Amino acid sequence: MDERKILDIEIKIVRDVKTLLSIKDIWHQLEENSKVYPFNTFEWVVNWWKYFGGGKKLWILLIVGDQGPIGIAPFMITFGEMGLPVKRIKFIGSNNSDYLDFIVKYGYEDIFYRSLIKYLESTIDRFTVLDLEHLPESSGIYPYIMDSWLYYDYDVQDVCPYIKLPATWDEYLASLDGKFRRNIKYEIKRFFTKCDGSFMCVADENEIDDSMDRLIELHQARWRKRHMPGAFYSKRVRAFHKALAFDFFNRGILSLFELKDNDKIVASLLSYHVGGKRYYYISGYDLDYSRLSVGAVTLGLSIKRSIEVGDEVYDFLRGDEKYKEDWTNDKKRNMRLVASYPSVAGRFYLYYIIAENKIINKIKDRFSHD
């Protein structure tokens, strides 16, 4: 593991999987004392790298102070994206993760970010760009980037609806539009009247494989009907999510909900549970049961379950699809933050990436509201 010294802080560079696996316990300890998302947990990073890391270089920065590790910058390096002859420093998980950020021990934010920026200033040259995707607008890095000598720019990348959960299900229902509130109460009651219905969260590790297969089948069937690829469009994507499901189950992060008619799974909802927040990742439902609105029923019951266990937030993750507006009006944003060397070429790379982001956003906006 390479080591550098910045501001009396040690920066250890993880460049290979063996070294990454050796810091598993350190990563977990930092997760327990930091703001963390499912997408920068050790399990997500390791599995993502296994399935999607080809052609990229690990470049994880472990920041260590006098009293031990204070944070992690889970970076990787790519080259030649979109035809640009430039290295990009990116988060591991870019493109198919929802929130990507640094893991910083509470109380050490200032020294972590000052050390990180100083190191990046010494690393970013004329042919290197820092390109941070899906960065929450609440991230602590912004003022430190703005105070550096690097060129920087940022743009909204994702709109992320979420629910601030009240104390009771009835209180939440009362906050909804009257027509939608009546509809969801009616649909839940109708399903359990017409079907031998049950709603559960997978609690047996031996059931995960079959339950994930069923989720994938239900999700893909709906998207194939629309002549679109769906989220589980490749063998590699499916393998990633199944491997991750087992790792997240063992850490108590996985929440895979199933709505059943007798023994038949008619809807599935995959979510992750971290730090008193539930993150709704993906779902699918049996098209033969669409007349019973089983997708909406499953979503409603998963929100109800979150309220019952005392969660603070139900997070719909990135994407402001129209159906989410029925469930909440609250939204936050992810940004795409780009920083480059202060040169003509650096400014060109920066503006090129931001322009690329704007074009992608226009395409996403069109599909999300169709």
Side-chain angles (χ1 to χ4, degrees):
M1 189 186 303
D2 293 347
E3 298 182 6
R4 311 291 170 87
K5 203 84 170 178
I6 299 286
L7 296 177
D8 294 325
I9 293 293
E10 196 172 29
I11 297 181
K12 300 185 177 185
I13 307 171
V14 176
R15 300 182 187 270
D16 58 80
V17 173
K18 182 179 179 181
T19 307
L20 171 58
L21 294 175
S22 75
I23 65 168
K24 176 180 178 179
D25 290 342
I26 294 173
W27 200 303
H28 283 166
Q29 289 168 9
L30 286 170
E31 287 179 27
E32 293 299 318
N33 295 282
S34 311
K35 182 178 182 180
V36 68
Y37 302 97
F39 315 101
N40 57 4
T41 59
F42 180 83
E43 287 72 21
W44 185 279
V45 167
V46 167
N47 280 288
W48 192 95
W49 189 257
K50 177 181 178 180
Y51 289 100
F52 305 110
K56 307 170 182 67
K57 293 183 178 181
L58 271 180
W59 200 65
I60 297 170
L61 307 183
L62 175 63
I63 316 296
V64 182
D66 292 339
Q67 300 186 12
I70 62 171
I72 296 172
F75 287 148
M76 63 181 179
I77 295 177
T78 69
F79 184 81
E81 288 188 69
M82 302 298 290
L84 288 180
V86 63
K87 291 192 302 184
R88 298 197 201 193
I89 301 171
K90 307 184 73 168
F91 283 126
I92 295 172
S94 293
N95 298 326
N96 55 355
S97 304
D98 286 72
Y99 299 131
L100 295 171
D101 203 356
F102 304 94
I103 303 169
V104 189
K105 188 174 182 180
Y106 292 128
Y108 291 84
E109 291 85 359
D110 181 64
I111 188 62
F112 172 87
Y113 285 115
R114 286 198 294 117
S115 303
L116 175 66
I117 294 301
K118 284 290 184 184
Y119 182 65
L120 290 175
E121 286 178 330
S122 71
T123 303
I124 294 174
D125 57 24
R126 290 172 173 81
F127 301 100
T128 305
V129 174
L130 180 69
D131 181 9
L132 302 184
E133 298 191 65
H134 314 301
L135 182 70
E137 59 185 340
S138 61
S139 175
I141 195 173
Y142 297 104
Y144 296 90
I145 281 283
M146 293 173 184
D147 197 39
S148 75
W149 54 257
L150 297 168
Y151 282 157
Y152 71 88
D153 199 357
Y154 55 89
D155 189 35
V156 176
Q157 188 171 23
D158 311 300
V159 177
C160 309
Y162 68 99
I163 305 169
K164 291 180 286 188
L165 295 173
T168 68
W169 172 243
D170 286 340
E171 188 178 348
Y172 171 64
L173 288 175
S175 71
L176 301 176
D177 171 77
K179 181 179 179 181
F180 181 71
R181 176 175 64 249
R182 291 188 294 272
N183 284 346
I184 196 62
K185 290 173 69 174
Y186 169 77
E187 297 296 356
I188 292 173
K189 182 178 180 180
R190 181 170 68 139
F191 175 79
F192 286 98
T193 299
K194 290 185 174 291
C195 300
D196 182 11
S198 62
F199 178 74
M200 57 165 287
C201 186
V202 175
D204 186 341
E205 186 175 7
N206 295 319
E207 297 176 1
I208 291 175
D209 198 58
D210 288 342
S211 292
M212 285 297 295
D213 282 341
R214 183 60 174 159
L215 167 69
I216 292 167
E217 174 191 344
L218 293 174
H219 176 84
Q220 290 300 111
R222 177 174 172 238
W223 288 96
R224 282 196 300 268
K225 187 176 180 180
R226 299 174 65 181
H227 306 290
M228 297 181 71
F232 301 105
Y233 57 87
S234 73
K235 183 177 180 181
R236 181 171 54 168
V237 170
R238 295 190 292 272
F240 163 70
H241 282 290
K242 290 184 73 172
L244 181 69
F246 282 96
D247 286 347
F248 270 3
F249 178 86
N250 289 325
R251 286 205 65 198
I253 293 173
L254 182 76
S255 293
L256 179 53
F257 293 109
E258 296 177 335
L259 185 69
K260 293 185 177 182
D261 179 10
N262 202 349
D263 291 329
K264 183 178 183 179
I265 300 170
V266 299
S268 296
L269 187 151
L270 176 63
S271 65
Y272 304 127
H273 196 250
V274 177
K277 299 178 181 180
R278 191 176 306 281
Y279 298 86
Y280 164 40
Y281 190 74
I282 207 164
S283 62
Y285 61 85
D286 192 321
L287 296 175
D288 291 338
Y289 282 76
S290 57
R291 72 189 189 284
L292 293 176
S293 302
V294 291
V297 169
T298 304
L299 177 52
L301 291 175
S302 71
I303 295 171
K304 185 173 184 287
R305 180 68 60 86
S306 279
I307 293 172
E308 290 169 347
V309 301
D311 287 339
E312 300 171 2
V313 171
Y314 191 99
D315 197 316
F316 283 98
L317 301 178
R318 57 189 171 109
D320 58 342
E321 292 88 350
K322 191 168 180 56
Y323 79 91
K324 296 177 183 178
E325 297 175 1
D326 291 328
W327 299 95
T328 185
N329 293 318
D330 291 320
K331 299 177 182 180
K332 52 190 174 181
R333 302 181 302 175
N334 283 344
M335 315 302 287
R336 188 166 186 176
L337 175 64
V338 185
S340 67
Y341 191 85
S343 65
V344 173
R347 190 182 292 273
F348 169 77
Y349 297 141
L350 186 152
Y351 289 157
Y352 185 98
I353 293 170
I354 292 295
E356 165 196 305
N357 186 73
K358 291 182 183 296
I359 292 170
I360 292 171
N361 274 346
K362 287 182 179 179
I363 296 170
K364 288 193 302 184
D365 186 64
R366 177 181 175 184
F367 278 97
S368 67
H369 288 90
D370 275 352

